[in-house]
Amino acid sequence: LLQMINTGVLVLVVLFQPELRRGLDQIGRSRWLKYLFGVKKGDVAGERMVRELVAALVNLSRRRVGALVVIERETGLSDVLASGTRLDAEISAPLIENIFEPNTPLHDGAVVICQGRITAAACILQLSEDSSISRELGTRHRAAIGISESTDALVLIVSEETGTISVAREGRLTRYLDAKSLTALLTDQFLKPEKSAIGKIRDLNQRHKEAGNEK
C-alpha cells in the first residue's frame, strides 16, 4: 500500500505537470502577494523599449509582415529560449523589422525580450488548447495566447493577413491596437511599477510629517 501511495504521487505529478505549473505560477502572480511584497509589474522597463517596439510593430503592420514578440516578466522563459537562436542585442525597431522580414533565417517563430534586451529569435511556442478561440485566428495568435496562459509574459502580435496589432496577456487577446493605444498599454505595464504596502505606508507617513511641519 505504501509503495502504491508513493508511486501514485509520482504518477500524479507527471500526469498533471502542466496544470501544477500553471497553478503555482498563478499563486506567484497573485495580486495579494504583489500588494504585500511590492513585486514589480515587469523586469523590462524603459521609454526607449516602448518607443522602439511601437515603431517596429506599426511599420510591420503597415507592410502586413507577421510578427510575434514575447516580453518576459516574472516567470522565466528558459524553455522557450532554448528552442530558438540566442541573441544579445539592444532593442531597436530596425533590428526587429529585419528579424521578421520574410524569407530570412529567423523570421519564423517568436522574438523573446528579457531584461530589456532581445535575447532570442525564432523561438517555438506551444499553441493554446482553448477550443473557444476564434477559427479566424492562426497559429501565431494561438501561440501567443498559449504562452500567456502558462506564464505572465506579455505577447505582441502582428497579423500577416490583416496587419492587425494584438496583445496577449493572461490568456486573453486584445486586438485592433494602434500606435497610441499600444504605447499606452506598454507604458502602463512597464513604466508604472506597483508600490508595495510598505511603500504606501511610508508615503502616508511622509505626508503626515510634511503636514505637521507646515503647521
Side-chain angles (χ1 to χ4, degrees), residues 116-166:
R117 296 182 68 82
I118 298 177
T119 307
C123 295
I124 300 173
L125 307 181
Q126 184 175 357
L127 302 183
S128 173
E129 298 180 358
D130 188 352
S131 58
S132 65
I133 298 175
S134 174
R135 292 185 177 181
E136 69 180 34
L137 299 177
T139 55
R140 186 176 284 110
H141 291 82
R142 289 180 178 274
I145 296 173
I147 190 67
S148 71
E149 288 174 339
S150 58
T151 73
D152 62 347
L154 186 75
V155 192
L156 310 176
I157 315 105
V158 176
S159 171
E160 185 175 350
E161 290 76 19
T162 64
T164 301
I165 300 175
S166 307

Side-chain angles (χ1 to χ4, degrees), residues 31-40 194-198:
R31 293 182 178 179
W32 289 105
L33 291 179
K34 291 182 179 181
Y35 179 81
L36 290 174
F37 300 107
V39 179
K40 293 182 180 179
E194 295 176 340
K195 283 188 177 180
S196 65
I198 296 175

Side-chain angles (χ1 to χ4, degrees), residues 191-205:
L191 299 179
K192 296 179 180 179
E194 295 176 340
K195 283 188 177 180
S196 65
I198 296 175
K200 294 176 181 178
I201 293 173
R202 287 176 179 172
D203 289 347
L204 185 60
N205 290 336

Side-chain angles (χ1 to χ4, degrees), residues 107-118:
H107 84 282
D108 191 17
V111 162
V112 179
I113 295 176
C114 305
Q115 302 293 330
R117 296 182 68 82
I118 298 177

Side-chain angles (χ1 to χ4, degrees), residues 55-133:
L57 266 65
V58 169
N59 289 337
L60 291 170
S61 171
R62 188 179 297 114
R63 298 191 292 122
R64 293 194 178 184
V65 175
L68 185 58
V69 179
V70 180
I71 306 176
E72 183 188 64
R73 301 179 72 187
E74 300 296 334
T75 307
L77 300 175
S78 57
D79 294 344
V80 177
L81 295 173
S83 67
T85 300
R86 286 277 185 165
L87 302 173
D88 183 19
E90 292 186 358
I91 300 174
S92 69
L95 177 58
I96 294 174
E97 292 182 53
N98 189 69
I99 289 175
F100 289 112
E101 192 66 29
N103 302 320
T104 56
L106 301 179
H107 84 282
D108 191 17
V111 162
V112 179
I113 295 176
C114 305
Q115 302 293 330
R117 296 182 68 82
I118 298 177
T119 307
C123 295
I124 300 173
L125 307 181
Q126 184 175 357
L127 302 183
S128 173
E129 298 180 358
D130 188 352
S131 58
S132 65
I133 298 175

